Amino acid sequence: MLTYSAQASTLAKPTEKPWVLLLLCFIWLWPGILGHDPWKPDEPFVLAIAQGMLDSGNWLLPMLNGAPYLDNPPLYYWLVAGCVKLFSPWLLPAHDAARLATPLLMSLSLLLAGMAGRDLIGRRHGRSVVMILIGCIGLVESGHQLTPIVASFAGLTAAFYALSLTLRSPGLAGALLGAASVMTFLGGSLADLLLIWLVAVMLPAFSGWRRKNYAITLLLGLLLALPAILVWPMLLQRLYPAVYAEWWGNYALGGSSGFRHVRLFHDFGYYSLNVLWFAFPAWPLAMWTLYRNRQLQSPKLQLPLLFTLMIAVLLTLSDRASITDAMPLLLPLAVLAAVELDNLRRGAAAFLNWFALMTFGLFGLLVWLGWAAMNYGWPEGLAGRAQYFSPFYHPHVSWLQAAGGLIATLVWLWALTRPHLRGRQAITNWAAGLTLLWGLGMTLWLPWFDAAKSYRPVVDSMLRKLPATATCIATENRNSLAMISWRYYAGIDLLSFPAGETPPCDYWLVVRSSEEGVAEPGWQVLWTGNRPREQNMTFALLQRLPPPKSPK
C-alpha cells in the first residue's frame, strides 16, 4: 500500500515533539524577511514590477520601467502586489510587505512536503522530510528572498503531494494535481509544467502505478488544469499580440528560452559540483536509502527517484548556470533521504552531529566575533575587514536581539550533547544549527549586510551632490536597476533614452564598469559612487558643459 510502509508500523517510540518541528519551522521562515532594503539579484525588480501593477492597474502583463517583463508569468507578482496593498505603508515598508509573499509560499511548501512524506513513507516520517528540507544549505538563502522561484517550488511541491495521493484518493489527487499545474505554470514556466507531467506520464512504467485510480487522477488533473492554464496566454495574445509572440518565442520555456530559440546546455559540470553543497545533507542520506533499497520495489522510492532523474535531465539540458534553478531537486532528495533515516547507523548519525557542531559552532563563533568587531572595534583585524566590506555601516546594537541569539546558541549546544543519538535527532540538530546560523546572521549582522547590499547609501550620496536646480536626469534605458533604485529611494524618475544617443537632459546618470571609466566629452563629472567592492557597476552623475563661446 502506498500510504503506510511496514517500517512505519514498527517505529520506535518518538522522542521528538510536533511542537518542536513547528517552532523550528517558524523560526526558520522569518530571519531575513523583514528589516532590510531590496537586495540583488531579484528583489529590486520584483518589487518594481509589483508596484507597477498597483500603480497602473494592469495585472495581466508584468511591466518593468514601462516595458514588458517576460522572464516569469505573473502569479508571484500578483501575490507580492497583494501583500504590498494589504500591509504597506501603514504597517510595513513596501519592500518588507512584499517579502511576506515568500514565507507564505514556503510555509505552504513545507506543509505539502511533510504531508507527502507522511503519505508516501508513513506516520511521523513527514516531519523527517521537513527537517531534512530546511536543513539543506541551498534552501536557506533561496527560501528567504523575494524571487519568483519560490512560487514554482510551491507548485512543484503541491504536484508531488498530489501524485503521492493518487493510489489512495484519486479524486482529491486529481483536483490537487490540476491546481498544482496551474500554480506551476503561472509561477514558473512551461518547462516546469512539463517536468510535472513527464513524471506523471512515466510513473506507470512501475507496476504499482498501472491502476485505474491513477488514470482517473491524470484525467481529472488534465481536465481541471488545461482550461485554467490557457486563460493567461489567451488574454495576452488577444490584448498584446506582439508581447505574446515574444513570450512564446523567447521566454515560454523559462529564463531566456522559448519555442523560437530553444537554448540548450551550460558549462559542463556546474550543477554536478554545486549540488554537493546545495543539497547537503539530503543527497548523502538519499544515497543511503538507495543503497539499502536497490530493488526499487516501493512507490515511496519510485516517485521521488523519478522526480530526481527528470529534474537532473532538465538541469543538464538548461543553458543557465544558476544554482537556484536546482531548488526543485531538494524536495525529492529530502523524501528519499527520509525513507531510511531511522535506520541510519549510529556512527553516521554521530558524525553528522559532530560535523554540525564543528561547522555551525565555528561559523556561529565567527558571527559573534564579527558582531563585536563591527560594533565595538574588537578584534581589531576583524573590525578592519568589516569596515572594508561595508564602509557605509554605522554601529547598531540591539540587546534584545543579542540576548535572543545567545539563548538560541546555548539551547542548540545543549541539544547536541544528547546521548544515544539516532538519525532523526542528528538531522534535527543539523537543521537547528543551520537555522541558528542563518538567524544570527540575519539579526546581528543584518544592518551590516544592508549597508553593503542596499543601493540606498549610493542614492543618498548622489543626492547630496545634486544641484537644487536639477529638474531632469537622464540615463540609458538599459540601466533598469538605476531607474528602479532612484525611483524607490529618492522618488526621482530618470528619463531613459536609447544607448548611443544624446542625453535629453543636462544631467546624465551613467552606469559603467571600473575599466570603462565615466568621463564623457562635453560633460563634467559631479559625483561617482558604487556599492562596496562592486567594481562592475559604478554610478556617475554628469553635468553638460556649456558650449564654448565663439570668438568675436
Side-chain angles (χ1 to χ4, degrees):
M1 186 177 179
L2 178 65
T3 308
Y4 297 109
S5 64
Q7 177 188 358
S9 62
T10 59
L11 287 176
K13 184 177 179 180
T15 57
E16 71 278 8
K17 304 297 182 183
W19 66 267
V20 175
L21 172 65
L22 294 175
L23 179 61
L24 184 58
C25 288
F26 181 81
I27 296 173
W28 184 92
L29 284 168
W30 288 104
I33 297 298
L34 304 177
H36 67 83
D37 288 331
W39 292 349
K40 288 173 63 178
D42 294 326
E43 293 193 344
F45 302 98
V46 172
L47 180 59
I49 293 168
Q51 192 65 58
M53 286 182 170
L54 291 173
D55 294 340
S56 66
N58 182 359
W59 293 78
L60 178 66
L61 179 61
M63 304 281 286
L64 181 66
N65 296 326
Y69 189 83
L70 303 174
D71 283 24
N72 298 93
L75 177 63
Y76 188 69
Y77 306 119
W78 292 341
L79 187 57
V80 170
C83 290
V84 173
K85 181 72 172 179
L86 287 174
F87 300 107
S88 174
W90 65 275
L91 184 61
L92 293 169
H95 49 268
D96 282 346
R99 221 175 278 116
L100 293 178
T102 293
L104 178 63
L105 288 172
M106 289 307 303
S107 299
L108 178 63
S109 299
L110 295 178
L111 174 63
L112 293 172
M115 294 171 69
R118 185 185 189 280
D119 208 69
L120 270 179
I121 311 171
R123 185 172 55 91
R124 300 204 314 269
H125 285 281
R127 65 187 72 173
S128 298
V129 172
V130 175
M131 283 294 180
I132 295 169
L133 197 55
I134 66 175
C136 288
I137 297 174
L139 192 65
V140 175
E141 184 178 7
S142 303
H144 292 87
Q145 291 182 345
L146 189 63
T147 173
I149 195 172
V150 299
S152 61
F153 183 74
L156 176 73
T157 309
F160 189 97
Y161 175 52
L163 292 176
S164 75
L165 274 174
T166 52
L167 303 185
R168 180 170 64 87
S169 181
L172 178 60
L176 183 58
L177 182 61
S181 299
V182 176
M183 185 176 185
T184 302
F185 168 66
L186 289 178
S189 68
L190 279 175
D192 301 316
L193 182 63
L194 181 65
L195 165 67
I196 292 172
W197 282 93
L198 279 176
V199 172
V201 170
M202 293 175 67
L203 273 175
F206 302 104
S207 59
W209 303 86
R210 291 196 291 267
R211 300 184 182 183
K212 180 181 178 180
N213 284 352
Y214 186 68
I216 293 174
T217 295
L218 295 190
L219 181 60
L220 180 58
L222 186 63
L223 291 176
L224 292 175
L226 192 58
I229 287 173
L230 291 175
V231 170
W232 181 72
M234 290 177 66
L235 286 175
L236 196 65
Q237 184 183 34
R238 184 166 66 89
L239 299 176
Y240 306 97
V243 174
Y244 170 80
E246 175 72 10
W247 171 77
W248 181 258
N250 296 311
Y251 296 94
L253 296 177
S256 58
S257 185
F259 290 98
R260 188 187 308 152
H261 299 291
V262 179
R263 297 169 174 85
L264 298 174
F265 302 113
H266 55 278
D267 293 338
F268 178 75
Y270 174 82
Y271 288 107
S272 57
L273 290 176
N274 283 282
V275 162
L276 296 179
W277 66 264
F278 190 81
F280 189 87
W283 71 263
L285 295 173
M287 296 290 288
W288 167 250
T289 293
L290 295 178
Y291 172 76
R292 286 181 55 89
N293 301 269
R294 292 183 287 276
Q295 302 302 317
L296 303 178
Q297 295 296 323
S298 173
K300 66 185 178 185
L301 302 172
Q302 295 161 356
L303 177 60
L305 183 59
L306 188 55
F307 255 104
T308 300
L309 293 177
M310 293 308 303
I311 294 171
V313 169
L314 291 182
L315 289 178
T316 302
L317 295 176
S318 173
D319 71 311
R320 288 166 32 111
S322 173
I323 192 59
T324 56
D325 289 350
M327 188 171 165
L329 193 62
L330 301 179
L331 173 64
L333 286 178
V335 175
L336 280 174
V339 172
E340 293 290 343
L341 184 61
D342 288 330
N343 294 320
L344 188 66
R345 291 175 180 171
R346 183 162 295 177
F351 173 78
L352 180 61
N353 202 57
W354 172 85
F355 188 56
L357 173 62
M358 299 302 295
T359 302
F360 300 125
L362 174 61
F363 283 103
L365 178 62
L366 289 177
V367 169
W368 280 108
L369 287 176
W371 176 77
M374 68 181 67
N375 290 296
Y376 299 104
W378 182 90
E380 292 184 6
L382 198 55
R385 300 305 293 172
Q387 178 66 23
Y388 173 79
F389 284 106
S390 187
F392 297 129
Y393 172 73
H394 299 289
H396 174 80
V397 176
S398 170
W399 289 109
L400 182 62
Q401 290 178 346
L406 181 59
I407 293 173
T409 303
L410 294 176
V411 170
W412 177 71
L413 289 173
W414 167 81
L416 289 179
T417 63
R418 290 183 295 178
H420 309 300
L421 203 68
R422 299 177 60 207
R424 286 177 182 246
Q425 288 79 29
I427 200 64
T428 299
N429 289 347
W430 173 275
L434 186 61
T435 303
L436 169 69
L437 183 61
W438 178 257
L440 289 178
M442 290 294 104
T443 51
L444 300 179
W445 283 30
L446 186 61
W448 183 87
F449 277 127
D450 200 31
K453 295 172 71 69
S454 172
Y455 284 95
R456 188 186 300 272
V458 180
V459 176
D460 290 343
S461 174
M462 191 217 74
L463 291 178
R464 290 192 289 269
K465 298 292 184 180
L466 184 67
T469 56
T471 57
C472 179
I473 306 173
T475 193
E476 294 173 338
N477 52 17
R478 63 187 178 187
N479 299 327
S480 57
L481 183 60
M483 299 175 68
I484 293 170
S485 300
W486 262 257
R487 181 184 301 118
Y488 189 71
Y489 295 120
I492 297 176
D493 286 314
L494 303 177
L495 184 63
S496 65
F497 66 96
E501 294 188 4
T502 302
C505 301
D506 289 335
Y507 295 90
W508 179 12
L509 182 70
V510 301
V511 184
R512 305 280 171 80
S513 66
S514 56
E515 293 80 11
E516 291 178 295
V518 298
E520 290 286 341
W523 294 81
Q524 174 188 0
V525 178
L526 297 181
W527 164 87
T528 60
N530 58 276
R531 293 196 312 175
R533 317 281 77 79
E534 191 177 49
Q535 300 301 320
N536 64 334
M537 187 175 288
T538 298
F539 300 90
L541 180 65
L542 310 184
Q543 183 180 20
R544 195 192 308 270
L545 294 173
K549 296 181 179 180
S550 57
K552 295 182 179 180

